[in-house]
Amino acid sequence: STKKRQKQSAENEEASTAPSAELAADADDTAGFKGADSDGKKYATLDDMWDHELREQGGWYEKANSYWTGVDASVDGMLGGFQRIHDEDIKGSRQFLNEFLTGKHGPKVGNARAIDCGAGIGRITKALLLPLFQTVDMLEQCAPFVERAKTYIDDVDRVGHFYNHGMQEFTFPADIKYNVIWIQWVAGHLTDTDFIAFMTKCQGALTENGIIVLKENNSTTDEFVVDKEDSSVTRSDRHIQTLFKKCG
């Protein structure tokens, strides 16, 4: 589950920037991936898994939203009962992000605006992004989390927009561009098709020198793992890199 993925060691986490280009995909690139779900059902291919999951009663995204609606709207809830990792998580993310804000890897990334995708109650918005950016927008599917964020975040006046949508259905406003699009521990809830579509949309929402940051836990083998409880998939690094290539 997301809870299980969040408690994995930092060695299995990936913080990476996605390139900017047009969508170009070869549907056979992911054909070799196999895996299983948390009930023990094995899949020979990704297509087999998605065919099964998307036909199941309840719906992939609806089941995820139902799961998260039942989670406590607190930092501990956002971290699946592992609130103790919060400080270390924010510390590592801040160090990573500062390398781009200070120009260590090329032109400096600006600090005018960021967006927190799958923001929950605003744990990352409050502790990481608002101290570094002038304005932060939040994108979150679960309505109770959006409402809690409005009281949880101290400097809420600098939250530009609370977008109560899932990433799979969200379209970035044409008149807003972001220096940083932050996506942490939520991309596993996207199908592969929607992952590619969302990342492609992200590229068009960036400022010059803007970056997309994906911080995600990976499977320790080349196989995917589907969590039936929260409707998510843990992908291997190679799986994620293959999806990146489909985004351009």
Side-chain angles (χ1 to χ4, degrees):
S1 68
T2 299
K3 293 185 286 186
K4 295 172 188 171
R5 290 188 287 118
Q6 287 170 342
K7 71 180 180 180
Q8 289 172 357
S9 71
E11 295 178 38
N12 292 330
E13 293 176 3
E14 174 179 278
S16 55
T17 57
S20 293
E22 293 183 357
L23 178 63
D26 177 357
D28 293 329
D29 287 348
T30 56
F33 293 110
K34 60 182 180 178
D37 66 26
S38 54
D39 289 339
K41 180 176 176 62
K42 296 186 181 299
Y43 298 97
T45 69
L46 271 169
D47 285 345
D48 288 346
M49 183 273 285
W50 287 124
D51 285 346
H52 175 79
E53 287 296 328
L54 297 180
R55 284 200 312 266
E56 272 204 342
Q57 186 176 1
W60 177 260
Y61 292 113
E62 291 77 11
K63 287 188 292 183
N65 193 51
S66 176
Y67 170 84
W68 282 106
T69 300
V71 169
D72 186 53
S74 65
V75 172
D76 200 46
M78 299 302 96
L79 293 173
F82 291 87
Q83 183 173 350
R84 64 180 179 270
I85 74 170
H86 169 75
D87 290 343
E88 193 64 26
D89 169 56
I90 296 298
K91 178 182 176 182
S93 293
R94 186 182 298 115
Q95 290 173 342
F96 174 84
L97 195 50
N98 273 328
E99 292 185 1
F100 293 90
L101 293 172
T102 58
K104 182 176 180 179
H105 301 289
K108 290 183 180 180
V109 171
N111 70 338
R113 199 175 198 116
I115 184 169
D116 183 3
C117 299
I121 65 169
R123 180 183 76 88
I124 294 167
T125 293
K126 178 178 179 176
L128 174 67
L129 299 177
L130 278 173
L132 296 174
F133 295 87
Q134 297 172 32
T135 302
V136 177
D137 293 341
M138 292 176 58
L139 174 60
E140 170 54 47
Q141 177 171 272
C142 188
F145 293 169
V146 175
E147 291 307 306
R148 177 68 181 100
K150 295 174 183 178
T151 57
Y152 168 70
I153 297 170
D154 300 323
D155 204 1
V156 72
D157 289 344
R158 290 200 294 118
V159 177
H161 296 284
F162 292 93
Y163 296 116
N164 185 197
H165 298 285
M167 293 189 300
Q168 71 278 5
E169 63 187 9
F170 183 67
T171 298
F172 289 93
D175 61 339
I176 297 177
K177 299 297 182 183
Y178 295 98
N179 301 109
V180 169
I181 298 175
W182 191 272
I183 309 164
Q184 179 168 343
W185 291 336
V186 67
H189 288 294
L190 291 174
T191 66
D192 285 356
T193 299
D194 287 338
F195 181 106
I196 295 165
F198 183 70
M199 288 294 180
T200 302
K201 286 189 281 188
C202 285
Q203 294 174 62
L206 292 174
T207 62
E208 185 178 2
N209 302 325
I211 61 172
I212 303 164
V213 181
L214 175 69
K215 186 171 183 178
E216 192 65 53
N217 292 325
N218 300 341
S219 60
T220 56
T221 70
D222 224 15
E223 298 187 0
F224 59 82
V225 180
V226 177
D227 192 294
K228 302 292 290 185
E229 181 183 19
D230 67 4
S231 206
S232 67
V233 57
T234 301
R235 301 172 171 98
S236 67
D237 179 73
R238 189 167 70 90
H239 188 165
I240 292 174
Q241 294 296 335
T242 299
L243 296 181
F244 276 165
K245 290 176 182 177
K246 290 175 179 284
C247 302

